[in-house]
């Protein structure tokens, strides 16, 4: 069965959501509508519809006029076995001592590495994205310098790949939290798949707001691979809950956003140690003075 997409962009969340609602009344009816902020600081939102038959171009043109949106780009997607496609495209990733792979590549795990199994269906957080890769490299660099994390938390953990990486190399239990219970459930599945039950504890929490995190603070290492806005909002709590001499590894930061993040954290007493750019993404390693 063919699939068609119709995509446009528009300034402002409210207008974008209203356009998405209007698209739901189209004939032929879309099978799904998505409204997402473009994370580049432009203020644009992307609105997309999925159809099992070609959408009506005249109706879409009327919507663009009514809402002041860009003209819709309509595409027909080829029929694809997406699971097989993703498995082919997501080759294993090496990040220092860490080797991130899917079960279909279990025979490729090299000797002497720290293996992290993440299934291909969970594309964000497999290590292929520049933010996750940058965080794993930062973790490897920190460990190579002799640091041993005794109290570690992964804020906004997603697949929990960073928490699991820390649990692979250090003896103490690592916390992994996410604001989304679905992400927490995924993290728990990954923890079990990697044989790390009892080594990584997954909890639902917004930022540091959870009893398990409050009981474990202060931390000597905090991962936060999220986005610019939440990272800035988190900075005062980070400063309060990071031990003296402790490290923060931050990502989800576009290259052009990095200087602002560095400045905000410096104002909160957490200073830059290292930065790495991978394509359009920056990963920062920061430290609270001892």
């Amino acid at each position: 069965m063919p699939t068609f997409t119709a995509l446009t962009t528009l300034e402002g969340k409210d207008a974008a959501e209203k356009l998405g609602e209007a698209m739901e009344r189209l004939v032929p009816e879309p099978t799904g509508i998505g409204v997402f902020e473009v994370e580049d600081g432009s203020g644009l939102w992307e609105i997309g519809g999925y159809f099992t038959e070609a959408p009506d171009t005249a109706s879409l043109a009327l919507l663009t006029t009514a809402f002041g949106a860009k003209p819709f780009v309509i595409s027909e997607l080829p029929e694809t076995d997406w699971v097989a496609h993703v498995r082919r495209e997501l080759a294993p990733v090496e990040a220092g001592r860490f080797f991130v792979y899917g079960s279909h590549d279990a025979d490729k795990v090299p000797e002497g590495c720290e293996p992290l199994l993440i299934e291909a269906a969970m594309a964000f957080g497999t290590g292929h994205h520049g933010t996750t890769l940058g965080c794993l490299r930062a973790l490897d660099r920190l460990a190579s310098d002799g640091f041993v994390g005794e109290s570690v938390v992964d804020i906004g953990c997603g697949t929990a790949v960073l928490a699991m990486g820390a649990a692979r190399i250090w003896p103490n239990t690592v916390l992994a939290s996410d604001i989304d219970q679905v992400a927490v459930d995924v993290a728990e599945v990954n923890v079990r798949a990697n044989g790390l039950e009892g080594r990584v504890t997954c909890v639902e929490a917004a930022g540091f707001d959870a009893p398990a995190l409050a009981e474990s603070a202060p931390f000597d290492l905090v991962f936060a691979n999220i986005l610019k806005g939440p990272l800035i909002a988190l900075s005062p709590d980070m400063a309060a809950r990071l031990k003296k001499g402790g490290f923060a590894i931050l990502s989800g930061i576009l290259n052009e956003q990095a200087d602002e993040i560095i400045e905000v954290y410096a104002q909160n007493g957490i200073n830059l140690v290292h930065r790495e750019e991978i394509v359009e993404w920056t990963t920062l390693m920061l430290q609270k003075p001892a």
Side-chain angles (χ1 to χ4, degrees):
M1 179 183 296
T3 299
F4 297 85
T5 62
L7 302 174
T8 186
T9 56
L10 180 63
E11 287 190 9
K13 178 181 179 181
D14 290 343
E17 289 179 344
K18 288 177 181 177
L19 175 53
E21 291 171 3
M23 288 180 67
E24 293 176 357
R25 298 188 289 272
L26 288 171
V27 178
E29 184 180 354
T31 58
I33 298 290
V35 179
F36 305 99
E37 185 177 11
V38 179
E39 296 290 349
D40 61 358
S42 65
L44 290 175
W45 287 69
E46 181 178 83
I47 306 94
Y50 293 83
F51 302 80
T52 55
E53 55 185 298
D56 180 43
T57 56
S59 296
L60 291 174
L62 287 173
L63 288 178
T64 61
T65 300
F67 286 89
K70 295 283 188 181
F72 278 90
V73 176
I74 300 171
S75 303
E76 181 178 358
L77 303 181
E79 294 188 44
T80 304
D81 182 345
W82 287 107
V83 172
H85 175 77
V86 168
R87 286 180 171 177
R88 286 195 300 270
E89 294 298 319
L90 293 188
V93 170
E94 294 186 59
R97 72 196 68 198
F98 300 105
F99 186 85
V100 187
Y101 69 102
S103 58
H104 58 287
D105 283 321
D107 59 335
K108 298 178 183 177
V109 178
E111 292 289 334
C113 73
E114 298 292 349
L116 295 168
L117 169 61
I118 304 290
E119 286 299 354
M122 302 166 185
F124 191 90
T126 59
H128 295 79
H129 198 274
T131 60
T132 308
L133 178 59
C135 289
L136 287 171
R137 287 180 177 175
L139 173 59
D140 178 71
R141 188 180 305 110
L142 198 56
S144 295
D145 289 341
F147 177 83
V148 176
E150 297 180 353
S151 53
V152 179
V153 63
D154 181 4
I155 303 289
C157 64
T159 61
V161 65
L162 303 178
M164 293 192 299
R168 281 276 187 235
I169 60 175
W170 296 321
N172 289 3
T173 300
V174 177
L175 284 170
S177 72
D178 202 287
I179 196 170
D180 179 12
Q181 183 59 48
V182 173
V184 174
D185 294 341
V186 168
E188 289 176 340
V189 169
N190 288 329
V191 168
R192 290 194 294 273
N194 283 271
L196 290 169
E197 302 96 322
R199 302 292 327 289
V200 177
T201 300
C202 304
V203 298
E204 183 181 2
F208 291 92
D209 185 21
L213 273 65
E215 293 167 5
S216 300
F219 300 98
D220 52 19
L221 175 59
V222 177
F223 295 104
N225 181 13
I226 41 181
L227 293 169
K228 172 191 168 183
L231 283 172
I232 289 175
L234 200 63
S235 56
D237 284 344
M238 185 84 73
R241 290 166 174 81
L242 197 61
K243 287 182 181 177
K244 291 182 178 180
F247 292 89
I249 294 175
L250 311 181
S251 199
I253 305 164
L254 292 166
N255 294 337
E256 60 268 24
Q257 299 170 342
D259 288 341
E260 183 179 353
I261 298 289
I262 292 167
E263 181 179 352
V264 168
Y265 274 77
Q267 291 170 357
N268 284 275
I270 308 173
N271 302 314
L272 180 67
V273 174
H274 187 272
R275 65 191 291 173
E276 179 180 14
E277 293 185 2
I278 301 176
V279 194
E280 72 266 38
W281 299 98
T282 293
T283 298
L284 303 174
M285 184 189 296
L286 309 168
Q287 185 177 25
K288 185 175 182 178

